[in-house]
Amino acid sequence: MNPPIITLLTDFGLRDGYVASMKGVILAICPDAKLVDISHLIAPRDARSGAYVLYTSYGFFPQGTIHLAVIDPGVGTERGAIAIRTSSYFFVGPDNGLFSFVLKEPGCETRRLENRQFWKCQLSNTFHGRDIFAPVAAHIARGANFDVLGPSCDPVLAQWGEPIVGKGAVEGEVIHIDHFGNAIINVMRETLEKQGPAEKWTIRAGKTVIDSIRATYGRVAAGKELALTGSSGFIEIAINHGNAASELGLRPGTRVTFQLSKS
Amino acid sequence: MNPPIITLLTDFGLRDGYVASMKGVILAICPDAKLVDISHLIAPRDARSGAYVLYTSYGFFPQGTIHLAVIDPGVGTERGAIAIRTSSYFFVGPDNGLFSFVLKEPGCETRRLENRQFWKCQLSNTFHGRDIFAPVAAHIARGANFDVLGPSCDPVLAQWGEPIVGKGAVEGEVIHIDHFGNAIINVMRETLEKQGPAEKWTIRAGKTVIDSIRATYGRVAAGKELALTGSSGFIEIAINHGNAASELGLRPGTRVTFQLSKS
Amino acid sequence: MNPPIITLLTDFGLRDGYVASMKGVILAICPDAKLVDISHLIAPRDARSGAYVLYTSYGFFPQGTIHLAVIDPGVGTERGAIAIRTSSYFFVGPDNGLFSFVLKEPGCETRRLENRQFWKCQLSNTFHGRDIFAPVAAHIARGANFDVLGPSCDPVLAQWGEPIVGKGAVEGEVIHIDHFGNAIINVMRETLEKQGPAEKWTIRAGKTVIDSIRATYGRVAAGKELALTGSSGFIEIAINHGNAASELGLRPGTRVTFQLSKS
């Protein structure tokens, strides 16, 4: 049998021992777990960006993978802690919208983590990633019964999870700036194509106007902005061989509108 | 039997092949070793910060874990190379104070690495992490006898390892700035509580005066500074939803004084 | 038998899900693969820097390791995709000079990746790392026959792969700035020593003149620049306890000349 895989996504950064503490806790419970980092450089407290990065990567992992995601500005307050089971995966983390894109999958089940048997014995006020989420993920990896983690519940769905879709017009927002400065928008190509072909939509973001959605980077001159479909299906604004976010002044939350041309 | 775990902590950064070279060397000696990064973004040459990050994470790993730590400004000079055995773990690295917090554990044994049988055959002048420390850690993982690594020795203990404790007054320093800009101080909550409850101590760091030590981040308004006990027991200065280090001008080495109020 | 090792080197950064997607794809094909990051912080699109970092680390891994390297500014254009077999290792990535240093090994065989049986079924235009290179590496790890990956071909060799060597004079360039600000030059100590001892060469880079190549960092005063042989045999310019690149204005591509003194 293959060893269980646990992925980790946080905004903890890479300078400290926070992520390693979680890994130590996991390995102490489930020594054969295979640990794979998704990212620990999500912008601090930005569940939106974390949700996007998780969405772009979780589906490539083998069936049964446990995805542990901790972007948790509400730690120590009343926000809930949850585990989700989909047809292929498990997810563990705070109940703050971080799993909004995951929860679009049909047949998700959500449990509110209340069974302290799966937590670390000593609980800190500031680090539930280490004390609740990591041990719960490790116990799932060891085969703990999902149903005993806690009672069923309705998870939080974030506002930025869906764009506003009108007739010939879609309004979304930038949800992530990637390493290359590409600005990813919470609008999928298929959302646009339900109304008309991608190349007939005009995109506006601040002062930037782009009159088509293209297939790949190489199709415009170096230094020129373009819109294209990213590798996960979301529309992104890029500059060929450049940094769109800094050059065009885009950041998470920037409003972006799409308009379908009539001709 | 579970595979041996080796953690890695360095100031080598993530842009180069330095860390990967160490991992290659380890896997060539001990192919089933499980490698876990603690951090490679410790500030260059800051053994103090490395000691803190190691301290916050090493104890969460399973018994028998080997912790390899290389912050080594003295490489190529006369500084010693050591391995330490505690009741639960092994540590390998330069003898420059990096293990000062670890060495507070009772019953530590230290060996000066002199047995070249466990080193890489070809030795560079600039990279003992790859040529001495990594192979020694890998040989320990394969079961090498600790006692033959070299002779017993007294390891270096750093000055910043302990604050100055007076009656109703404690003087320490910032030892680490974490990813969120929290400034961690080399004073543990329990050191303060021996003299009086945490909320009765006033903290001064530069122009900042904080009149109590609180339990969690959420208890002050967003943007306001506070002192709290971090997840590892050290006192830290934070700004709720902000960056204390940059906003208050704190950095490693900043003096911090604690005073017990009389009422 | 030991599990297969796959290393990963990219310019994808650590903020996104790009690297994790590749890892997921690999583990879905070859669940027991051991994944080791070399670096994901290579300067965007800088195959030269990637080639250097790969060169400094690949040879420390056990025989049979598969090195997956993706710095791929030409993705979506006509650049080729290749796999290389040396006497000890496999390499997989774009055919853009990234393997120029590797290809100095005698007896390399190169295949142009054309057999779509080893690719991901659905192919994106922008992410061949995930859709071609990762699955090919995973299939090699599972034992796929190298010869059926595609036809033999002659790989691209980059101009920066070799310095210009004259009588008593060598002209090279900075190929990488490491985490400590050391500037690595595409000239190996052995290239110089064929003509005269290292300490008899004078190095010029911009306004900086250094009159000898030394053995280690500690031999000049703190804050002073020096030239030394790095741990991989290339000459580098450093500042003892300082940052040579920023203080001396060195960056990838900076011309560097070496002159042999006559006395």
Side-chain angles (χ1 to χ4, degrees), chain A residues 159-183:
Chain A
Q159 271 197 321
W160 39 257
E162 292 287 357
I164 301 161
V165 179
K167 205 184 156 205
V170 173
E171 195 184 330
E173 65 179 287
V174 174
I175 49 171
H176 182 67
I177 304 297
D178 80 5
H179 178 69
F180 300 97
N182 300 333

Side-chain angles (χ1 to χ4, degrees), chain A residues 108-141:
Chain A
C108 292
E109 297 171 77
T110 307
R111 296 277 164 177
R112 190 174 169 99
L113 303 179
E114 290 189 355
N115 188 341
R116 287 175 167 257
Q117 176 191 344
F118 300 111
W119 300 7
K120 223 170 143 289
C121 303
Q122 279 195 306
L123 203 66
S124 76
N125 285 309
T126 54
F127 197 178
H128 290 182
R130 181 191 68 195
D131 301 342
I132 298 176
F133 301 123
V136 166
H139 283 293
I140 295 174

Side-chain angles (χ1 to χ4, degrees), chain A residues 147-205:
Chain A
D147 297 337
V148 303
L149 297 173
S152 280
C153 69
D154 288 322
V156 169
L157 291 171
Q159 271 197 321
W160 39 257
E162 292 287 357
I164 301 161
V165 179
K167 205 184 156 205
V170 173
E171 195 184 330
E173 65 179 287
V174 174
I175 49 171
H176 182 67
I177 304 297
D178 80 5
H179 178 69
F180 300 97
N182 300 333
I184 290 96
I185 303 155
N186 65 339
V187 174
M188 303 203 78
R189 186 186 184 92
E190 61 181 36
T191 303
L192 301 177
E193 285 184 334
K194 278 178 192 159
Q195 299 200 36
E199 61 272 19
K200 292 228 167 173
W201 288 85
T202 297
I203 302 182
R204 285 188 177 74

Side-chain angles (χ1 to χ4, degrees), chain A residues 11-13 26 51 54 59 65-66 89 93 112 134 139 156 168 210 214 220 242 252:
Chain A
D11 61 349
F12 295 168
I26 290 169
L54 181 61
T65 295
I66 298 141
Y89 303 113
R112 190 174 169 99
H139 283 293
V156 169
I210 299 172
R214 289 157 196 270
V220 300

Side-chain angles (χ1 to χ4, degrees), chain C:
Chain C
M1 243 194 57
N2 294 322
I5 298 170
I6 299 177
T7 76
L8 296 98
L9 175 91
T10 75
D11 62 348
F12 295 167
L14 296 165
R15 297 169 58 183
D16 304 298
Y18 302 127
V19 173
S21 300
M22 291 173 67
K23 292 180 176 176
V25 166
I26 291 169
L27 294 171
I29 295 168
C30 183
D32 63 337
K34 218 177 175 95
L35 302 172
V36 180
D37 295 308
I38 292 184
S39 174
H40 302 292
L41 296 183
I42 302 301
R45 296 174 285 277
D46 193 346
R48 178 175 50 191
S49 182
Y52 167 76
V53 170
L54 181 61
Y55 178 77
T56 63
S57 47
Y58 80 80
F60 295 102
F61 284 83
Q63 282 244 349
T65 295
I66 297 142
H67 297 288
L68 172 56
V70 188
I71 292 159
D72 197 11
V75 65
T77 67
E78 296 301 306
R79 71 98 186 86
I82 54 175
I84 299 165
R85 179 169 59 187
T86 72
S87 59
S88 300
Y89 303 113
F90 296 95
F91 296 83
V92 179
D95 186 22
N96 59 11
L98 185 53
F99 303 110
S100 291
F101 295 128
V102 170
L103 288 160
K104 294 183 183 183
E105 282 198 27
C108 293
E109 296 170 78
T110 306
R111 297 276 165 178
R112 189 173 169 102
L113 303 179
E114 290 189 355
N115 189 341
R116 287 176 168 256
Q117 177 191 343
F118 300 111
W119 300 7
K120 220 169 145 291
C121 303
Q122 280 194 305
L123 202 66
S124 75
N125 286 308
T126 55
F127 197 178
H128 290 181
R130 181 191 67 194
D131 300 341
I132 299 177
F133 301 124
V136 165
H139 282 293
I140 294 174
R142 280 192 62 177
N145 186 340
F146 182 76
D147 297 337
V148 303
L149 298 173
S152 280
C153 69
D154 288 322
V156 169
L157 290 171
Q159 272 196 320
W160 41 255
E162 291 288 355
I164 301 161
V165 180
K167 205 184 155 204
V170 173
E171 195 184 331
E173 64 178 288
V174 174
I175 49 171
H176 182 68
I177 305 297
D178 81 4
H179 178 70
F180 300 98
N182 301 333
I184 290 96
I185 303 155
N186 64 339
V187 174
M188 304 205 74
R189 185 186 184 92
E190 62 181 37
T191 302
L192 301 176
E193 286 184 335
K194 279 177 191 160
Q195 299 200 37
E199 60 274 19
K200 293 228 167 172
W201 287 85
T202 298
I203 302 180
R204 284 186 178 76
K207 290 177 184 164
T208 303
V209 181
I210 299 171
D211 65 354
S212 169
I213 295 164
R214 289 156 196 270
T216 185
Y217 292 99
R219 303 292 163 78
V220 300
K224 204 167 146 31
E225 68 269 18
L226 76 159
L228 74 166
T229 312
S231 50
S232 299
F234 285 99
I235 304 300
E236 49 188 80
I237 298 176
I239 290 183
N240 192 22
H241 287 213
N243 187 306
S246 62
E247 294 176 42
L248 306 176
L250 306 173
R251 53 194 174 74
T254 300
R255 305 304 302 174
V256 183
T257 59
F258 296 75
Q259 202 144 12
L260 185 61
S261 78
K262 282 162 189 168
S263 59

Side-chain angles (χ1 to χ4, degrees), chain B residues 67-176:
Chain B
H67 298 287
L68 171 56
V70 188
I71 291 159
D72 196 11
V75 65
T77 66
E78 297 300 306
R79 70 99 187 85
I82 54 174
I84 300 166
R85 180 168 59 187
T86 71
S87 59
S88 301
Y89 303 112
F90 296 94
F91 296 83
V92 178
D95 187 21
N96 60 12
L98 186 52
F99 303 110
S100 291
F101 295 126
V102 170
L103 288 159
K104 294 183 183 182
E105 281 198 28
C108 292
E109 296 170 78
T110 306
R111 297 278 164 176
R112 189 173 169 101
L113 303 180
E114 290 188 355
N115 188 341
R116 287 175 168 258
Q117 175 191 345
F118 300 111
W119 301 6
K120 222 169 144 290
C121 303
Q122 279 195 306
L123 203 65
S124 76
N125 286 307
T126 54
F127 198 177
H128 290 181
R130 181 191 66 193
D131 300 341
I132 298 177
F133 301 124
V136 165
H139 283 293
I140 295 174
R142 280 192 62 177
N145 186 338
F146 183 76
D147 297 337
V148 303
L149 297 173
S152 279
C153 69
D154 288 322
V156 169
L157 290 171
Q159 272 196 321
W160 40 256
E162 291 288 356
I164 302 161
V165 180
K167 204 184 157 204
V170 173
E171 194 184 331
E173 65 179 287
V174 174
I175 49 171
H176 182 68

